[in-house]
Amino acid sequence: MTMSQNLTERYAASLMNTFGPPKLVLTRGEGAYVWDADGRRYLDLLGGIAVNALGHAHPALVAAVTEQLSTLGHVSNFFATVPQVALAERLLDLLEVGPGGGKVFFTNSGSEANEAALKLTRRTGRTHLVAAEGSFHGRTMGALALTSKAAYREPFEPLPGQVTFVPYGDADALAAAVTDETAAVVLEPVQGEAGVIIAPEGYLARAREITTAHGALLWFDEVQSGMGRTGEWMAHTGSGVTPDLVTLAKGLAGGIPVGACIGVGAAGELLQPGNHGTTFGGNPVAAAAALAVIETIEKDGLLENARLVGARLAEGLRHPHVTAIRQRGLLIGLDLDAEVAPQVAAAARERGFIINDCAPGRIRLAPPLVLTEAQADEVVAAWPGILEAGYAAGQPGGPS
């Protein structure tokens, strides 16, 4: 029995089966590569699902966490810390509103950031929300109420809230759903879980017009698409739209748990003392990690790298079996002409590449922002063979 097989058996015996059997047992990483328990190397094109912005074991992130933990690891939210305040100011700068133009509530994850935002919307005195089909906002009960996928929702219904789902990208449907009783419209500028579905040109601006007309909040969930993933700090940056709420997590601290619910303008004043809380959210270690991620992205030009390498990678993945490619920076979705994405992902792992089958016929890539052109070329060179093996395995009677 290999080390990986041994650990997989122990995993099954001692962890709840919420994720199914683990695909690999990973023991270490460096840059865009990870190694499994048997010493085999993989190029990580998933990045912890858009989390490992700086890759694995980045010296700047390791140093920031080590230094902060050696100085002040945790205090309660009865007290402020230097990294917490500095990070809130930096995030407001990245949203181009600056300190005083909004307020930040720190959490530990994207789901918690969305839970905080959902609670915040109740402070408008309204309860109706509008979300999009294909959306994913998390699996806690409030976030799940805004998530459209039936397989995630139905086992736990009834869910809190009064939520109307509309087709993503359809501004007329959105306009028809929003009323003067609507507290907020929540949209992902790029739907990651759905397979990298990008908002049509002008859609976010129309959403701004519609929500403003009805006095509703406009909430952008940038948990997956934010923090440089799309080659801009936020996926909505180029839209010219200023939302009322933005939620962040995943790449924010490069793998150290942290999330943020940001209220812009008056929305930043809706939560008041006693309305919400957290024990660990925005603790100094997580905040220091996030500051290191932001500084490294700026210093190393990783926004531009995401744009250039992402475009190179997407272009190289064209193939007769690939019917559509959607790419923003290093967030890439591929549609296949058959529902063999799980088999294709397995074939990729066999060849030393980690990719994600986010739907039966869709592949998602969200590699570290430090991915190099040479590393992108590695998977491009292997791609035809990966598809050939995946399609063969997906045929009736094909290899398992």
Side-chain angles (χ1 to χ4, degrees), residues 15-342:
L15 279 89
M16 289 188 185
N17 186 28
T18 53
F19 302 105
K23 303 290 192 298
L24 298 168
V25 179
L26 301 175
T27 56
R28 70 183 180 94
E30 181 178 341
Y33 292 104
V34 292
W35 282 260
D36 71 15
D38 300 319
R40 188 172 180 208
R41 192 183 78 167
Y42 302 83
L43 182 60
D44 183 3
L45 295 157
L46 185 56
I49 310 183
V51 166
N52 299 101
L54 304 186
H56 301 273
H58 193 285
L61 187 55
V62 173
V65 169
T66 302
E67 181 178 346
Q68 186 59 48
L69 192 56
S70 303
T71 306
L72 184 68
H74 177 77
V75 297
S76 83
N77 278 306
F78 293 133
F79 310 102
T81 68
V82 173
Q84 173 198 41
V85 174
L87 179 59
E89 292 173 340
R90 289 293 285 124
L91 292 179
L92 292 168
D93 284 339
L94 296 181
L95 282 179
E96 301 177 351
V97 298
K103 298 287 179 64
V104 180
F105 179 85
F106 286 117
T107 67
N108 306 294
S109 68
S111 289
E112 290 177 62
N114 285 331
E115 289 283 344
L118 178 56
K119 280 186 73 176
L120 183 151
T121 68
R122 292 295 178 96
R123 298 289 295 162
T124 64
R126 305 178 182 183
T127 58
H128 177 237
L129 294 109
V130 179
E133 295 175 2
S135 62
F136 181 83
H137 300 289
R139 296 177 188 259
T140 53
M141 293 298 275
L144 188 59
L146 301 166
T147 295
S148 74
K149 192 170 183 177
Y152 295 162
R153 295 171 52 86
E154 290 176 352
F156 304 99
E157 290 177 337
L159 295 166
Q162 179 191 358
V163 183
T164 300
F165 289 96
V166 296
Y168 185 70
D170 186 337
D172 291 338
L174 184 63
V178 178
T179 73
D180 290 347
E181 301 301 316
T182 302
V185 171
V186 54
L187 297 170
E188 298 159 277
V190 178
Q191 291 187 327
E193 176 83 3
V196 190
I197 309 300
I198 300 169
E201 185 72 25
Y203 180 59
L204 301 182
R206 283 283 290 134
R208 176 72 283 178
E209 293 171 4
I210 293 164
T211 49
T212 298
H214 290 281
L217 300 173
L218 179 60
W219 164 8
F220 287 161
D221 179 340
E222 294 258 20
V223 167
Q224 185 166 155
S225 59
M227 300 313 299
R229 171 57 48 191
T230 62
E232 305 286 347
W233 280 113
M234 306 293 160
H236 75 269
T237 298
S239 70
V241 172
T242 301
D244 302 296
L245 292 171
V246 176
T247 46
L248 299 169
K250 289 196 180 289
L252 177 54
I256 304 299
V258 67
C261 169
I262 306 172
V264 176
E269 305 294 338
L270 287 172
L271 288 179
Q272 290 295 310
N275 288 157
H276 201 43
T278 174
T279 295
F280 296 108
N283 82 48
V285 175
L291 287 166
V293 168
I294 294 169
E295 180 181 353
T296 303
I297 289 174
E298 288 181 328
K299 178 172 66 68
D300 292 352
L302 296 183
L303 296 182
E304 182 179 14
N305 189 67
R307 292 192 293 269
L308 294 177
V309 178
R312 184 186 184 100
L313 181 55
E315 181 63 28
L317 295 176
R318 295 187 183 281
H319 188 278
H321 279 313
V322 177
T323 58
I325 300 177
R326 297 171 295 278
Q327 176 253 333
R328 286 280 303 274
L330 278 168
L331 188 57
I332 300 171
L334 309 172
D335 288 354
L336 305 176
D337 62 2
E339 294 192 343
V340 293

Side-chain angles (χ1 to χ4, degrees), residues 348-385:
R349 286 194 299 277
E350 284 296 313
R351 287 155 179 77
F353 301 96
I354 295 176
I355 64 175
N356 173 235
D357 49 305
C358 60
R362 282 184 174 166
I363 296 292
R364 171 177 48 175
L365 306 179
L369 305 184
V370 298
L371 190 79
T372 66
E373 290 184 350
Q375 290 166 338
D377 291 346
E378 284 183 42
V379 68
V380 168
W383 186 234

